[in-house]
Amino acid sequence: MKYISTRGDAPTLGFCDAVLAGLARDGGLYVPESWPRLDAATIRAMAGQSYADIAKTVLTPFVGGEISDQDFHSMVDAAYGNFGHDAVAPLVQTGPNEFVLELFHGPTMAFKDVAMQLLARIIDHILAQRGEKISVVGATSGDTGGAAIEAFRGRDHSDIFILFPHGKVSDVQRWQMTGVADANVHALAIEGNFDDCQAIVKAMFNHHSFRDNANLSGVNSINWGRIMAQITYYFTAAVSLGGPMRPVSFCVPTGNFGDIFAGYVAKQMGLPIDKLVIATNSNDILARTLETGRYETAGVHATTSPSMDIQVSSNFERLLFQASGRDADYVKTSMSSLSQSGAFNLGEMATDAIRSDFLAGRSDENAVDQMMKSMLDDNAYLLDPHTAVGVDVARRFPGNSPMVVLGTAHPAKFPDAVEAATGLWPALPPRAKDLMAGTERFTVLANDLETVENYISRHTRVSA
Ligand SMILES: Cc1ncc(COP(=O)(O)O)c(C=O)c1O
Ligand SMILES: N[C@@H](CCOP(=O)(O)O)C(=O)O
C-alpha cells in the first residue's frame, strides 16, 4: 500500500513514512493510493469478534506489510487492552432506532484515545527499529492534546509539543495536558484560538528546514494513522446492528472532519453505510458548505462543545480530493483560495459528489442544552455537549436504518455545561479521580510561528 498527497507534489510514501510524515511536504494530506475492499463474507465474520480482532482485519491492509502481522497485532492488542469497557466502544440504545456509540472509555475520556493509543505504539515501533527520535507536534481544541500526551508521555523516542488555545478548553481537558510530569511533554498555551494553533502546526511542517532539524511528526488527524485507526469502530458498530446485511447510518459531531472521514473510508472499503450525517455546533461551516457549495470561513464562536469550535476543517481536503475525482490541481487551487481569501467554491461536480454521501445539520446552543436535558429526563442518560450536537442533528434525519451517533466524549469532561443544562454534575470515572491532584505545568506563548519554533528548538531532544 502506497500513500499519495492530496496536492500531488510530495513523494509517494509507504505506510511507515506516511505515518511519520504527518503532513505531506507539499502541504497536502496523505491518502492511500486506492481503498482496500473487504467482501461481505469477511465483514459478516466479524460478528461476535472482539474489537481488537476486528481492528486487525480492518487495518492490516493499510500497513501494506511494512510491519510484521505479529508486531502489528501485538500493538493492536496492547492499545485496546487499556480501555475501561471490555467492548472498547459499546453501543447504548437511546431511541427506537437510535444508538450512541460510546467512544470515551479510553484513558482521557474522548474518542481520540481510540486512535492515539494505537498510533503512539506504531510510531514508537518504527522509531525503535530505525533508531530515530522525533518531535511530535499537535494542535488541540481540547481532546487531541490530552489523548496524545497520555499516549506519548515517557516515550524514549519522542518529545511531544501540544498547542492549545489559552483559556478556551475545559478544566478537565487542561489538566489532562498540564498535570503530566514526564519531561518529554510540553503543553503550550497559545494566545489565540484552535485555528491559530492548527495554522502554526501546519506552518511548521511547511517550513522545511525547521521540520527537518526538529524531525517533526504530527498527531492531528492530518496524520493518516489517526484516520485509519478511527475506521474500525464503524465496522464494530455496523456489525453489532446487523451489518453488512442491514445498512446503518452514522451521525458524527464534526470539527476537523477526521472522524466522519473515517466513516467515509469504511464505506469505500465495502461497509454498507446508508447516511453519513455531519453534525456541527454553531460553528457551522460544513453545514453551510453542503447547503451552498461554497466553503467560507467566518469568526469562531465559543460554544459548550469547544472541541468543535473550528473553522478550518483539515480533513475536508481529503474529501475534496475524492469528490473531485482525485484531482490534485483542483485541491491546490481550492486551498490557495482558502488561504488567500478565506473561501472557495466547490463547483458542481464536487458538491454533487459530497451531497451523494453526506447530509449535514447544525445544532445551536439552546438545542444542545435541550437535548442534554431531554436525554436525561427520557432515558436517564447523560450526554456530553458534543454528543448532544450529534443526537440533535441525527433526529432531523429519520429513516429506516439504525442511526448510530458517535459519542465522542464523556460528560465529565464538560461538567459545567452538563450541569447548567441538566442540573447534574457528572462525576469523573474512577480511573480519572486524581486528575487534578498534582501540579500544572505549561508555558504561555504568543500566537506566533517563530516563538513556537524557538521553544521547540530549545526543548527537543532531536539533535540537528
Ligand atoms: C469531543 C469531540 N467531539 C467531536 C470532535 C470533532 O471531531 P473531528 O475533528 O474529527 O471532526 C472533537 C474534536 O476533534 C472532539 O474532541
Ligand atoms: N477537536 C480536536 C481538534 C483537533 O482535531 P484532530 O482530530 O485533527 O486532532 C481536539 O480536541 O483537539
Side-chain angles (χ1 to χ4, degrees), residues 111-112 139-145 173 194 198 219-222 226 230 256 258 307-308 310 315:
F111 79 95
K112 311 286 179 170
T140 188
S141 51
D143 289 322
T144 292
Q173 290 177 317
F194 168 75
Q198 180 159 254
V219 282
N220 280 108
S221 53
I222 52 176
R226 282 278 312 282
Q230 290 171 195
N256 231 354
S307 303
M308 288 156 58
I310 294 176
N315 282 284

Side-chain angles (χ1 to χ4, degrees), residues 29-43:
L29 277 69
Y30 277 108
V31 289
E33 222 166 30
S34 61
W35 302 116
R37 297 278 301 176
L38 298 180
D39 60 24
T42 305
I43 301 174

Side-chain angles (χ1 to χ4, degrees), residues 167-433:
K168 296 189 178 72
V169 300
S170 79
D171 289 350
V172 174
Q173 290 177 317
R174 197 189 64 249
W175 271 96
Q176 286 176 333
M177 295 185 274
T178 60
V180 175
D182 301 75
N184 71 328
V185 169
H186 302 269
L188 307 179
I190 304 296
E191 306 275 20
N193 59 32
F194 168 75
D195 288 320
D196 298 323
C197 297
Q198 180 159 254
I200 292 177
V201 165
K202 287 185 178 168
M204 288 192 286
F205 276 105
N206 290 328
H207 182 184
H208 289 171
S209 58
F210 173 78
R211 173 183 183 150
D212 294 339
N213 287 339
N215 208 10
L216 223 55
S217 186
V219 282
N220 280 108
S221 53
I222 52 176
N223 189 318
W224 169 254
R226 282 278 312 282
I227 305 295
M228 174 189 91
Q230 290 171 195
I231 301 167
T232 306
Y233 44 73
Y234 288 90
F235 280 88
T236 62
V239 167
S240 305
L241 294 171
M245 288 74 79
R246 181 160 78 139
V248 173
S249 294
F250 290 90
C251 182
V252 187
T254 301
N256 231 354
F257 208 78
D259 211 6
I260 195 159
F261 189 76
Y264 172 84
V265 176
K267 191 170 177 182
Q268 306 311 305
M269 292 176 74
L271 185 68
I273 293 183
D274 180 6
K275 301 183 181 104
L276 274 170
V277 183
I278 300 166
T280 73
N281 65 19
S282 42
N283 297 291
D284 60 352
I285 183 163
L286 293 169
R288 283 187 284 112
T289 303
L290 258 80
E291 226 169 271
T292 61
R294 181 170 169 79
Y295 189 97
E296 186 159 23
T297 53
V300 183
H301 312 285
T303 71
T304 53
S305 44
S307 303
M308 288 156 58
D309 293 348
I310 294 176
Q311 287 292 313
V312 181
S313 240
S314 292
N315 282 284
F316 199 64
E317 176 164 345
R318 286 189 165 110
L319 183 63
L320 287 174
F321 185 60
Q322 283 292 121
S324 62
R326 298 199 149 207
D327 180 348
D329 289 333
Y330 165 88
V331 174
K332 272 189 284 192
T333 310
S334 306
M335 290 302 120
S336 118
S337 159
L338 179 64
S339 64
Q340 277 161 29
S341 64
F344 61 91
N345 291 321
L346 274 68
E348 206 175 310
M349 175 183 163
T351 307
D352 289 350
I354 291 172
R355 285 182 183 150
S356 71
D357 279 306
F358 294 90
L359 296 164
R362 160 193 198 274
S363 185
D364 65 26
E365 291 296 271
N366 194 29
V368 175
D369 284 355
Q370 292 294 325
M371 180 47 65
M372 285 191 272
K373 172 102 181 74
S374 64
M375 187 61 89
L376 182 64
D377 292 346
D378 302 344
N379 292 66
Y381 186 68
L382 264 191
L383 294 169
D384 98 286
H386 303 75
T387 310
V389 169
V391 179
D392 182 50
V393 171
R395 289 187 179 177
R396 294 184 220 154
F397 298 102
N400 294 328
S401 317
M403 173 62 86
V404 176
V405 179
L406 269 53
T408 51
H410 192 289
K413 285 198 98 165
F414 307 96
D416 298 319
V418 172
E419 188 186 35
T422 65
L424 261 192
W425 180 266
L428 283 170
R431 70 194 299 182
K433 71 178 180 359

Side-chain angles (χ1 to χ4, degrees), residues 61-131:
F62 292 106
V63 178
E66 291 198 2
I67 298 175
S68 73
D69 283 356
Q70 196 187 2
D71 285 343
F72 185 63
H73 292 179
S74 311
M75 290 178 227
V76 170
D77 287 331
Y80 299 123
N82 193 18
F83 277 62
H85 195 292
D86 286 346
V88 178
L91 276 170
V92 172
Q93 185 153 14
T94 50
N97 214 9
E98 177 189 281
F99 302 81
V100 170
L101 179 64
E102 293 188 339
L103 297 169
F104 47 72
H105 293 284
T108 67
M109 303 180 283
F111 79 95
K112 311 286 179 170
D113 290 320
V114 180
M116 214 64 87
Q117 285 294 316
L118 181 59
L119 181 62
R121 287 175 166 84
I122 293 172
I123 290 182
D124 216 41
H125 174 88
I126 302 170
L127 295 173
Q129 284 205 323
R130 294 183 177 183

